[in-house]
Amino acid sequence: MKRKATQQAERTTKKTHVEKPQSDAKSKKRSLPVTSTAPLQDSDVTSDEEGPEELQDEESADDKMEGVEETTGSQQPKDPNASREGHKAQRALLAQRRAAKPHSELLTEAKLAWSLARKKDISKEERTKHINALMDILRGHVKEIVFKHDASRIVQTVVKYGGQKERNEIASELKGRYQELAQNKYSKFLVTKLIRLCPQHRTSILQEFQGHVRRLLLHREASTVLADAFELYANAYERSILLKDFYGKEAKLFTVTSGSDEEQEKSKKGLKGLLEGADKDRRRRLLSSVKDNLISIFNNPDKGSVSHAIVHRVLWEYISALNTLEDEAEREKLRREIFESCQDVLAEMVHTKDGSRVDRKHIVKTIKPHIERMCIDEEAQLVLFTALDVIDDTKMTAKSIVSDIVGSATNLYTSAQGRRCLIYLVSPRTRRHFTPAQIKLLAETDSIRAQTSKKDNDVRAEEIRKAASEPLLSWITKLGAEVVRDPGGSLVVGEIMLNTDGDKSAASETLLKSIARPYPSPDAADPHPISLPHVSRLFKLLLQGGHFSHETKTIVRSERFSSLDFAQKFVDIVGKDTTLAMAKDEGIFVVAALCETVVNAGKDGESWFTPDARKELEAEKDKRGMSTLLSQVESL
């Protein structure tokens, strides 16, 4: 038989849930590895914003007291007064235990001020008042209490809402303890905040990690602190402080990373700066130290440090340094050894700028399962572009990379990164879609390609284009009418039509049938494609047969696309009535381009533009582009 629940006269009410505030929109986030399916845990989401108003230990103690029952042989209901007295005694005992803890009075006073300072619905002036009061309580005791989970949250609140004076004061008090703080699961958030918000103390904080960087990168708590500091907040000189540990003991003993401006500038060069002027034996020792330290990271992939940008930077510096070795056999041997040590984890590196630089042919199989994710990643896609640029075996490239990119076209054309991947297959490094900075970054491998590749660059690009042409044109034939209605999709379709090889009649028919319906559309919710500016520009581009060059002020026509064939299909599929209706409104430039192509080809198109039709166009002569159209009509 079940025992009846104890009747309680005064049951403690449950604490209301306080919703976590949104993270600061200005805060940066580290890149997410393409192998990851879960969102990156933001190490700057701090514990000072977690939980209800009281702290967890107080709540859990009250909950425990609430469920305590005295076990007796009797099943009769207990006296409510006796239960209430028992709770009072337990609370008194709990209060005594708290009072016996170090700094209990200080923490009790700080919690009262903290509960006021962290409120969301107070003015800036009132919050500043409470923060100043809280700082007066904590001043001189921060180092003593910061390792406690509740006190750490209090200090973080001061750093978050306080002024630069309060932040610098806390950073100064904690000097000498940052390595220990970074390894604590509560105070690590405070270290990240101070690195971000106290730039004048950032260098001294990072210098406390020197000599322990590799160990901290393998530490569960500290690794995120170093990763955030390196990738998000540190400048070139501050990054060099963290990188120095990978260069070995000799670099640590005989080089300087602080001091004069000249020494700091040399430090910014990293491994390259250390190797400048070094003799052959010293270069070999430095490179050996870097290699051993990298392998120690690669041998512990479960620690998560392989995905951090600091490791990728060291690997890129090492690979770059190998390229300067005079002995080609030694260079290839060392390069092969480092790739063999990290080939199983290369897919976790391609999401950062430095990590994306080091991949080559023999790791294509490793990244193949992640092609689509890499296409939409700003840095990882550089690996794919480099693979297309440097691998001579284009059959393997077409099978392993090109087919996967084209197969994901429907998911890629809606993002700028995905569009670049599709366009790179048929028009690599075009200034129309790639910035000078991106082209410069891709060109970094050109010097290496000249040494390792036997195939002409134009031949390789042509073979990649041919491999991509048929499936891309088939994609347009199937989905072109839908794709062109997207502004980005129309850009992709234009480049594919102009630059691919093969029969484009089916793709052209799909595009033209999409605009052959009556114009204008009777349904405002479903406008005619020509009413969309980007679709109108696309058809003008195809009727011209190429892009307009601002340098030569002429149309640069594509050798792989016949604008005359497209114009003929336009006439056959779209028809006279729809074309003339377009000419009076939003399709003026499209019809003008059609007339120009017909004139240049010496064809007769005058029959469509009867005297009555011309009068209707002249009545709209004030419209933008109508004068251009009328001049083309006169040339027919």
Side-chain angles (χ1 to χ4, degrees):
M1 182 176 177
K2 291 185 178 180
R3 184 175 57 177
K4 294 181 180 179
T6 304
Q7 297 178 358
Q8 296 184 359
E10 296 180 1
R11 182 176 295 274
T12 306
T13 58
K14 291 186 178 180
K15 297 178 175 62
T16 56
H17 173 71
V18 178
E19 186 178 356
K20 296 181 183 179
Q22 297 293 326
S23 58
D24 186 1
K26 296 181 180 180
S27 61
K28 302 177 184 177
K29 298 287 184 67
R30 280 186 284 121
S31 302
L32 183 69
V34 297
T35 56
S36 174
T37 56
L40 184 67
Q41 187 176 15
D42 187 1
S43 63
D44 201 37
V45 173
T46 59
S47 55
D48 69 311
E49 299 172 349
E50 297 174 354
E53 289 296 330
E54 265 82 26
L55 298 174
Q56 297 172 359
D57 57 348
E58 297 173 341
E59 181 176 7
S60 60
D62 288 344
D63 290 341
K64 289 179 181 179
M65 290 188 293
E66 187 176 334
V68 172
E69 296 182 309
E70 296 179 6
T71 57
T72 63
S74 173
Q75 296 181 1
Q76 297 296 324
K78 295 183 179 180
D79 182 3
N81 293 327
S83 179
R84 189 159 49 245
E85 292 298 326
H87 288 170
K88 288 182 179 180
Q90 288 178 333
R91 289 191 181 96
L93 180 60
L94 181 62
Q96 291 177 3
R97 289 175 178 172
R98 286 189 187 135
K101 292 181 179 179
H103 311 291
S104 60
E105 292 183 4
L106 185 147
L107 287 176
T108 301
E109 188 178 358
K111 287 174 187 177
L112 292 175
W114 175 65
S115 64
L116 298 173
R118 70 193 291 264
K119 285 184 177 179
K120 300 178 184 177
D121 55 348
I122 59 175
S123 65
K124 182 178 180 180
E125 293 74 16
E126 189 176 357
R127 192 187 303 278
T128 301
K129 174 184 175 183
H130 295 314
I131 289 293
N132 291 336
L134 182 57
M135 191 62 204
D136 290 339
I137 298 170
L138 298 177
R139 187 172 285 109
H141 302 284
V142 176
K143 188 182 294 188
E144 302 166 15
I145 64 173
V146 73
F147 289 98
K148 299 178 181 292
H149 81 279
D150 47 358
S152 177
R153 292 166 62 184
I154 294 171
V155 176
Q156 288 178 63
T157 299
V158 177
V159 174
K160 180 178 180 180
Y161 295 117
Q164 200 59 49
K165 177 184 176 182
E166 287 76 23
R167 293 168 180 169
N168 290 336
E169 192 172 346
I170 289 175
S172 298
E173 279 200 45
L174 294 175
K175 189 175 181 180
R177 302 293 296 275
Y178 285 107
Q179 184 189 154
E180 188 179 357
L181 288 167
Q183 299 176 77
N184 184 279
K185 66 178 180 178
Y186 303 116
S187 57
K188 68 175 183 179
F189 299 109
L190 175 61
V191 179
T192 300
K193 261 190 166 60
L194 291 173
I195 290 174
R196 175 164 66 95
L197 299 174
C198 299
Q200 71 180 74
H201 288 271
R202 189 179 298 147
T203 300
S204 61
I205 293 174
L206 297 180
Q207 284 176 339
E208 290 193 23
F209 298 142
Q210 274 194 331
H212 309 278
V213 171
R214 288 182 293 111
R215 179 179 63 81
L216 293 177
L217 280 173
L218 298 174
H219 190 276
R220 177 180 177 181
E221 311 298 342
S223 62
T224 57
V225 176
L226 268 64
D228 283 349
F230 184 88
E231 188 171 352
L232 304 180
Y233 310 124
N235 58 33
Y237 168 63
E238 291 161 351
R239 290 192 187 102
S240 71
I241 295 174
L242 299 177
L243 292 171
K244 186 178 176 182
D245 272 21
F246 283 89
Y247 303 153
K249 294 182 178 179
E250 183 174 352
K252 182 179 178 181
L253 292 173
F254 300 104
T255 59
V256 179
T257 56
S258 62
S260 65
D261 293 341
E262 182 180 353
E263 291 169 342
Q264 291 189 12
E265 286 299 319
K266 184 177 181 180
S267 179
K268 291 178 184 179
K269 295 181 180 180
L271 183 59
K272 179 181 178 181
L274 288 174
L275 296 176
E276 287 180 354
D279 57 47
K280 187 175 181 180
D281 290 338
R282 187 168 185 238
R283 291 172 65 89
R284 186 178 288 110
R285 290 195 302 271
L286 288 171
L287 290 174
S288 177
S289 296
V290 175
K291 173 187 170 184
D292 293 342
N293 290 330
L294 282 171
I295 291 177
S296 70
I297 298 292
F298 298 147
N299 288 342
N300 292 276
D302 56 314
K303 302 294 185 180
S305 55
V306 172
S307 64
H308 295 330
I310 182 174
V311 178
H312 307 167
R313 171 62 63 83
V314 178
L315 179 57
W316 170 245
E317 288 187 348
Y318 179 74
I319 296 296
S320 299
L322 293 184
N323 294 330
T324 64
L325 295 178
E326 297 178 358
D327 190 337
E328 183 177 353
E330 181 183 11
R331 182 171 64 241
E332 291 302 318
K333 174 177 176 291
L334 293 175
R335 185 184 289 118
R336 185 172 59 254
E337 288 176 353
I338 195 65
F339 273 119
E340 287 175 354
S341 68
C342 67
Q343 60 183 349
D344 293 336
V345 294
L346 280 173
E348 297 186 44
M349 299 186 188
V350 297
H351 62 286
T352 67
K353 180 178 178 180
D354 293 302
S356 66
R357 289 165 155 173
V358 299
D359 293 24
R360 289 296 298 273
K361 174 180 176 179
H362 62 286
I363 55 91
V364 169
K365 291 182 180 179
T366 304
I367 64 175
K368 182 174 172 57
H370 313 287
I371 295 293
E372 184 175 345
R373 287 284 302 274
M374 292 172 66
C375 285
I376 57 178
D377 187 285
E378 191 80 30
E379 306 298 344
Q381 63 179 203
L382 298 177
V383 176
L384 303 178
F385 299 157
T386 301
L388 296 173
D389 286 345
V390 303
I391 298 176
D392 287 347
D393 188 356
T394 51
K395 290 185 178 180
M396 184 271 290
T397 306
K399 190 175 181 179
S400 301
I401 297 178
V402 175
S403 61
D404 283 20
I405 295 176
V406 176
S408 304
T410 304
N411 299 326
L412 298 180
Y413 79 87
T414 55
S415 69
Q417 295 82 4
R419 289 194 291 272
R420 281 200 293 266
C421 286
L422 293 171
I423 292 171
Y424 203 88
L425 298 176
V426 297
S427 186
R429 302 191 191 182
T430 170
R431 291 289 296 270
R432 193 170 298 279
H433 299 284
F434 293 86
T435 66
Q438 290 170 330
I439 295 173
K440 181 180 179 181
L441 189 59
L442 288 168
E444 289 182 359
T445 58
D446 289 352
S447 58
I448 303 174
R449 179 176 62 184
Q451 302 174 14
T452 60
S453 177
K454 298 179 181 179
K455 183 173 290 187
D456 183 77
N457 299 335
D458 294 335
V459 172
R460 185 190 301 102
E462 182 67 24
E463 291 174 351
I464 294 294
R465 181 186 298 108
K466 288 182 178 179
S469 293
E470 183 179 349
L472 284 174
L473 290 172
S474 298
W475 174 64
I476 293 178
T477 302
K478 183 179 179 181
L479 298 172
E482 174 188 343
V483 173
V484 296
R485 295 186 74 91
D486 179 83
S490 66
L491 296 176
V492 175
V493 170
E495 294 300 330
I496 292 174
M497 293 296 290
L498 291 177
N499 296 296
T500 50
D501 296 317
D503 183 9
K504 301 173 184 176
S505 58
S508 298
E509 289 175 7
T510 296
L511 298 177
L512 291 168
K513 285 178 181 178
S514 70
I515 65 170
R517 67 196 223 192
Y519 180 90
S521 174
D523 184 4
D526 182 25
H528 192 282
I530 289 297
S531 298
L532 303 174
H534 54 275
V535 178
S536 180
R537 286 193 295 270
L538 170 64
F539 281 93
K540 177 186 174 185
L541 170 71
L542 297 179
L543 288 166
Q544 290 174 340
H547 293 286
F548 178 79
S549 172
H550 292 282
E551 294 180 1
T552 62
K553 306 299 180 183
T554 58
I555 302 297
V556 181
R557 290 181 169 80
S558 171
E559 298 177 355
R560 300 181 178 85
F561 182 77
S562 172
S563 58
L564 180 59
D565 290 347
F566 190 79
Q568 186 61 54
K569 287 184 179 296
F570 190 106
V571 171
D572 295 340
I573 296 174
V574 179
K576 176 181 176 181
D577 294 340
T578 302
T579 301
L580 292 178
M582 292 178 185
K584 300 172 187 176
D585 202 352
E586 295 155 311
I588 293 175
F589 289 102
V590 174
V591 179
L594 173 65
C595 294
E596 183 181 5
T597 300
V598 171
V599 170
N600 292 338
K603 301 293 182 179
D604 181 19
E606 187 178 6
S607 59
W608 277 19
F609 295 93
T610 62
D612 290 340
R614 296 190 185 199
K615 287 181 180 180
E616 291 180 9
L617 294 178
E618 289 173 355
E620 304 287 345
K621 62 182 180 180
D622 293 335
K623 286 189 175 180
R624 181 172 175 265
M626 185 59 73
S627 59
T628 302
L629 174 57
L630 289 172
S631 65
Q632 294 295 340
V633 171
E634 289 296 328
S635 302
L636 290 173

